[in-house]
Amino acid sequence: MSPSTPPAPPTTVDFWFDPVCPWTWLTSRWMLNVAGTRPVTIAWHVMSLSVLNENRLDELPPPVRTLMGDAWAPVRVLTAVELTRGPEWLGPLYTALGSRYHLKHQPKNRATLESALREVGLPVELADAGDTDRYDTELRASHSRGITLVGQDVGSPILAVPGPAEGADPVAFFGPVVSPAPKGEEAARLWDGVLAVATTPGFYEIKRTRTHAPDFR
């Protein structure tokens, strides 16, 4: 009897996120479901909608301009955590922050940051990073790595997967934007389809108008 074929190594998915984006939160919960049903490992990276929109604030409606101001502190704290404690803390802290912002509707202020840090076992003093530009060079570099892969006409999230051939550049895309977040086998089927189109040479875009607000059920 011939020896069994060893399982293929898991696919690493690089996931760039801004924690204040509700659509990104839904995509991230979908990816966590995918990781439970497919051989997938998620590598979390910080991007910033504030950086993305800093040169077009005058074009944005007032509520979005306000959100862009509030969005600086969370990504600065996440970047500080990654640099001082390690990238393995990004996923847990994102979950703690996102559940507060999008499920509990807590304000995007220091108290919420401290509560999330405390939940995952990190010092609340790390919230100090939200009030300074100390880590902005590294934040912008992380943001730029994602944007460089996928292009300028996108937002959060950005996903990148290995190219279709060994040694090929990663394939990156914006989204998928989906609501509510699929679970179980439904999540896995969507992943299979997304991976198929993302790694098809020459494929660029599928899109339709959103008709509903984010559904966090």
Side-chain angles (χ1 to χ4, degrees), residues 148-164:
T148 299
L149 284 173
V150 75
Q152 294 293 326
D153 298 326
V154 300
S156 175
I158 294 169
L159 275 67
V161 297

Side-chain angles (χ1 to χ4, degrees), residues 182-204:
K183 299 177 181 178
E185 189 55 32
E186 185 181 9
R189 286 198 303 270
L190 176 59
W191 168 251
D192 293 342
V194 167
L195 191 61
V197 297
T199 55
T200 298
F203 176 83
Y204 290 104

Side-chain angles (χ1 to χ4, degrees), residues 12 14 16 145 148-150 159-165 167-173 198-199:
T12 297
D14 290 291
W16 277 266
R145 284 193 292 272
T148 299
L149 284 173
V150 75
L159 275 67
V161 297
D169 291 335
V171 177
F173 52 91
T199 55

Side-chain angles (χ1 to χ4, degrees), residues 4-185:
S4 59
T5 303
T11 299
T12 297
V13 180
D14 290 291
F15 191 111
W16 277 266
F17 68 95
D18 186 314
V20 307
C21 175
W23 298 101
T24 299
W25 172 253
L26 290 169
T27 305
S28 71
R29 299 312 95 178
W30 163 70
M31 274 306 315
L32 288 172
N33 267 275
V34 170
T37 57
R38 291 291 188 269
V40 165
T41 299
I42 306 170
W44 303 98
H45 307 282
V46 182
M47 68 176 296
S48 171
L49 293 174
S50 299
V51 171
L52 188 69
N53 291 295
E54 63 184 344
N55 294 322
R56 55 184 295 265
L57 289 176
D58 291 344
E59 304 170 19
L60 304 176
V64 180
R65 286 202 300 270
T66 299
L67 177 62
M68 292 303 95
D70 294 339
W72 278 107
V75 292
R76 284 169 166 167
V77 171
L78 282 157
T79 302
V81 166
E82 179 180 16
L83 292 172
T84 64
R85 299 289 167 150
E88 67 273 14
W89 289 95
L90 286 181
L93 184 55
Y94 177 29
T95 292
L97 278 173
S99 63
R100 284 164 171 76
Y101 292 156
H102 308 301
L103 305 183
K104 301 176 183 177
H105 306 292
Q106 294 181 3
K108 297 170 182 65
N109 59 17
R110 183 183 175 107
T112 302
L113 285 166
E114 289 183 353
S115 175
L117 289 164
R118 192 179 297 112
E119 178 186 318
V120 300
L122 289 168
V124 295
E125 292 78 12
L126 284 165
D128 292 344
D131 300 321
T132 174
D133 61 1
R134 177 179 177 184
Y135 298 103
D136 279 13
T137 298
E138 293 85 357
L139 166 61
R140 289 175 181 275
S142 177
H143 174 89
S144 179
R145 284 193 292 272
I147 291 293
T148 299
L149 284 173
V150 75
Q152 294 293 326
D153 298 326
V154 300
S156 175
I158 294 169
L159 275 67
V161 297
E166 185 175 354
D169 291 335
V171 177
F173 52 91
F174 162 63
V177 176
V178 59
S179 175
K183 299 177 181 178
E185 189 55 32

